[in-house]
């Protein structure tokens, strides 16, 4: 079975003037256009998250140079700026929605910048974008007790199914955080595959519930972008991110232990 590494690109906001909360993980529209043109020039073929996972699960074929273009949260710029570029190139993509952040009847007011509304989400679906789940209110899922975790997953899945007429089969962990328990419950909630972050190329051996992605941010220049999609210098590019992630993981594990100890005394 092939374990061909595949770059999964993680985008958030595509915006000319993002606010401070989203700036670091936003991409300027002109940068996004340049990055998509480069993928076309390098003859990459974008596929959806569902397509990649299905191919690996069933040992089916993939294009010669597959790539995934994914967006998290549900920012309005995905419709305004990204969709016309994707349509021009005929590129597939996946959008992971935090349903409580989307403007409309289910909005909890937690969105960090101007978010999509459901009419725009339906436009994206009509254009062939896969819609996946990203929880309801975007919490750190591994910090939640089971009942709250189930609520976040099932509420997200229910809203997407009600609004779009089809259940989401793919999921992405908010902040990239998961655990064995979270991955198990995501599977039991009915999602067929899920994406983390990791800042590495995705490989079949990672398993369908821990596929890794590469972060694209406002400071990602086109030369760095080319290196990332070709799998070159990823470790060096994200060395600082990995060090910070390891340190924060220790803090979060300590918090989990304290919470469990408190619950056991109640």
């Amino acid at each position: 079975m092939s374990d061909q590494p595949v770059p999964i690109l993680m985008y958030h906001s595509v915006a000319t003037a993002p606010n401070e909360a989203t700036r670091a993980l936003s991409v300027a529209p002109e940068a996004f256009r340049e990055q998509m043109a480069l993928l076309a020039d390098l003859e990459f073929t974008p596929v959806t998250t569902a397509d990649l996972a299905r191919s690996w699960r069933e040992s089916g074929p993939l294009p010669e140079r597959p790539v995934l273009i994914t967006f998290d949260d549900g920012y309005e710029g995905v419709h305004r700026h990204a969709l016309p570029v994707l349509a021009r190139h005929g590129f597939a993509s996946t959008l992971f929605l935090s349903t409580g952040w989307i403007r409309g009847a289910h909005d909890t007011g937690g969105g960090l910048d101007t978010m999509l509304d459901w009419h725009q989400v339906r436009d994206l679906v009509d254009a062939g974008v896969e819609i996946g789940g990203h929880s309801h209110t975007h919490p750190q899922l591994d910090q939640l007790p089971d009942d709250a975790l189930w609520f976040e997953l099932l509420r997200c899945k229910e809203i997407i199914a009600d609004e779009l007429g089809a259940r989401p089969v793919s999921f992405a962990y908010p902040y990239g955080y998961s655990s064995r328990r979270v991955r198990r419950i995501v599977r039991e909630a009915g999602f067929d595959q899920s994406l983390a972050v990791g800042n590495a190329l995705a490989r079949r051996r990672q398993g369908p519930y821990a596929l890794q992605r590469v972060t694209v941010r406002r400071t990602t220049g086109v030369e760095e972008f080319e290196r990332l999609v070709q799998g070159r210098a990823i470790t060096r590019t994200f060395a600082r991110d990995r060090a910070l992630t390891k340190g924060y993981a220790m803090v979060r594990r300590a918090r989990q232990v304290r919470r469990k100890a408190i619950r056991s005394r109640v």
Side-chain angles (χ1 to χ4, degrees), residues 12-167:
H12 287 77
S13 171
V14 182
T16 302
N19 62 18
E20 286 306 309
T22 61
R23 178 173 299 278
L25 290 178
S26 70
V27 172
E30 56 271 20
F32 185 78
R33 286 195 298 270
E34 189 173 26
Q35 291 162 4
M36 296 302 102
L38 180 64
L39 291 181
D41 290 344
L42 295 175
E43 299 184 334
F44 277 92
T45 301
V47 298
T48 67
T49 302
D51 288 339
L52 175 70
R54 185 184 308 112
S55 174
W56 276 348
R57 191 164 46 242
E58 300 173 0
S59 299
L62 282 171
E64 186 172 342
R65 304 197 78 185
V67 64
L68 273 67
I69 302 164
T70 70
F71 303 90
D72 283 7
D73 302 347
Y75 297 99
E76 191 267 348
V78 175
H79 184 277
R80 179 188 300 270
H81 299 298
L83 179 58
V85 179
L86 296 169
R88 189 177 311 130
H89 290 287
F91 282 176
S93 62
T94 304
L95 168 64
F96 295 102
L97 293 181
S98 293
T99 48
W101 287 11
I102 303 303
R103 288 181 289 151
H106 318 290
D107 190 352
T108 63
L112 299 180
D113 205 340
T114 304
M115 309 304 292
L116 294 162
D117 62 33
W118 287 102
H119 294 293
Q120 293 169 321
V121 174
R122 281 186 276 275
D123 284 345
L124 291 161
V125 172
D126 291 343
V129 176
E130 178 193 4
I131 302 300
H134 197 46
S135 79
H136 185 52
T137 65
H138 204 279
Q140 297 178 20
L141 297 180
D142 60 341
Q143 302 293 301
L144 299 180
D146 284 0
D147 56 348
L149 174 56
W150 275 105
F151 170 81
E152 286 288 336
L153 299 176
L154 295 181
R155 184 62 175 144
C156 173
K157 183 180 172 184
E158 174 189 49
I159 290 172
I160 292 175
D162 286 349
E163 291 287 349
L164 305 180
R167 74 173 182 90

